[in-house]
Amino acid sequence: MSKKTVAADAMTQTVSANASSEAIITTHGLTKTYVKGKIETPALRGVNMEIPRGSFSCIIGPSGHGKSTLMHLVGGLDRASSGDVVIDGIKIADLNDNELSELRASKIGFVFQFFNLLQNLTALENVETAMMFNKNVPAKSKEQRARALELLKLVGLEDKAHAKPNELSGGQQQRVSIARSLANDPEILLMDEPTGNLDSKSEEEVLDQLLRIHATGKTIVIVTHNTEVSDRAEILYEVRDGKLSSVTKK
């Protein structure tokens, strides 16, 4: 598959992914400045980006240049200093905190470098907890349990449903966290260094599962330094000095 790289304009930072399908995530002039006392630290400097629906994308670039900040703003985990994030046609700056929480719960699944599993719960129970606020799946119901088992099966861990995190390998724990991120059937999965804590074998297991999930039509966006991960992506967004410097479509 051929690669096409688009250099971002130094003034406007307008970059398009040349998507063949509609964008499910769009940012317009996105900025973020962290303020501590009298010191202001710009993290993002006017990022315009489009992520096509159903794509598998990676955000790459040096450490400390704004990749994770961009992910947090796109996922509604933090508020931008200026500019807009639009998720599936919804401008998240217009939402109050409750509405934003509902959007995250229904539209977005999150996976992070650290698995953040509840140590006193089984794999099955960890996945079930993500459905607590899902109005379409009654809490502590047979439907909820069946959904959690289905997701563990999707990531190849149905035989570990009753194991607790300390009984699982790192790769298995991350696969449980992926199953949990899918609990409410989100259209988008946002992942920040999801293989950062894994050995090579576990990393390969997780990547295989992500490709299977992507094949179901999910939009996957991963922040990563790992070329083993970024080599699997369809689109690469490079962030440098808080700006989107290029987009490579494979």
Side-chain angles (χ1 to χ4, degrees):
M1 201 160 28
S2 63
K3 294 183 179 181
K4 183 176 182 181
T5 301
V6 182
D9 183 271
M11 295 298 292
T12 65
Q13 289 300 309
T14 300
V15 183
S16 169
N18 299 315
S20 58
S21 59
E22 64 176 305
I24 192 170
I25 300 170
T26 307
T27 71
H28 302 286
L30 199 62
T31 74
K32 180 65 178 180
T33 300
Y34 294 103
V35 179
K36 188 173 183 179
K38 296 182 179 180
I39 300 174
E40 295 187 355
T41 305
L44 290 181
R45 306 168 184 260
V47 172
N48 296 333
M49 179 174 67
E50 294 180 356
I51 295 177
R53 186 183 303 276
S55 61
F56 187 164
S57 306
C58 283
I59 301 174
I60 60 173
S63 295
H65 283 237
K67 300 187 305 299
S68 291
T69 297
L70 178 57
M71 175 74 81
H72 290 168
L73 296 184
V74 165
L77 298 175
D78 197 3
R79 297 278 189 175
S81 299
S82 64
D84 293 314
V85 176
V86 180
I87 303 293
D88 203 15
I90 301 169
K91 186 186 294 187
I92 67 175
D94 293 342
L95 304 179
N96 61 36
D97 288 345
N98 288 337
E99 291 168 337
L100 184 55
S101 294
E102 289 182 11
L103 177 72
R104 286 197 302 263
S106 63
K107 292 281 186 184
I108 303 170
F110 294 95
V111 178
F112 299 99
Q113 179 175 351
F114 299 100
F115 319 128
N116 298 325
L117 298 178
L118 298 172
Q119 296 299 308
N120 61 326
L121 300 183
T122 65
L124 182 64
E125 290 166 339
N126 266 282
V127 177
E128 287 183 297
T129 59
M131 290 182 261
M132 288 174 58
F133 304 105
N134 187 336
K135 299 174 184 176
N136 299 318
V137 182
K140 298 182 180 179
S141 65
K142 291 181 180 179
E143 185 181 353
Q144 183 186 75
R145 178 138 296 198
R147 170 76 178 153
L149 282 169
E150 177 188 343
L151 291 169
L152 287 175
K153 184 176 181 179
L154 178 66
V155 298
L157 287 177
E158 65 269 32
D159 60 330
K160 300 292 186 181
H162 301 292
K164 291 189 175 179
N166 63 3
E167 299 171 309
L168 301 172
S169 69
Q172 289 170 334
Q173 290 186 65
Q174 190 63 294
R175 283 152 62 191
V176 172
S177 72
I178 291 169
R180 182 182 58 189
S181 76
L182 293 166
N184 296 318
D185 197 24
E187 295 185 64
I188 302 165
L189 292 184
L190 300 181
M191 305 186 178
D192 197 349
E193 298 287 1
T195 64
N197 267 341
L198 304 180
D199 58 35
S200 297
K201 181 182 177 183
S202 297
E203 174 186 283
E204 190 65 27
E205 290 175 0
V206 168
L207 286 175
D208 287 345
Q209 298 304 322
L210 291 179
L211 289 173
R212 287 178 60 195
I213 291 164
H214 174 240
T216 69
K218 301 294 184 188
T219 302
I220 297 178
V221 186
I222 301 178
V223 166
T224 187
H225 290 100
N226 190 334
T227 56
E228 294 294 326
V229 178
S230 59
D231 283 349
R232 307 285 189 102
E234 298 167 335
I235 306 170
L236 299 179
Y237 301 87
E238 184 174 14
V239 175
R240 287 180 177 272
D241 297 318
K243 300 176 182 179
L244 193 60
S245 63
S246 68
V247 176
T248 302
K249 188 175 182 183
K250 299 181 181 180

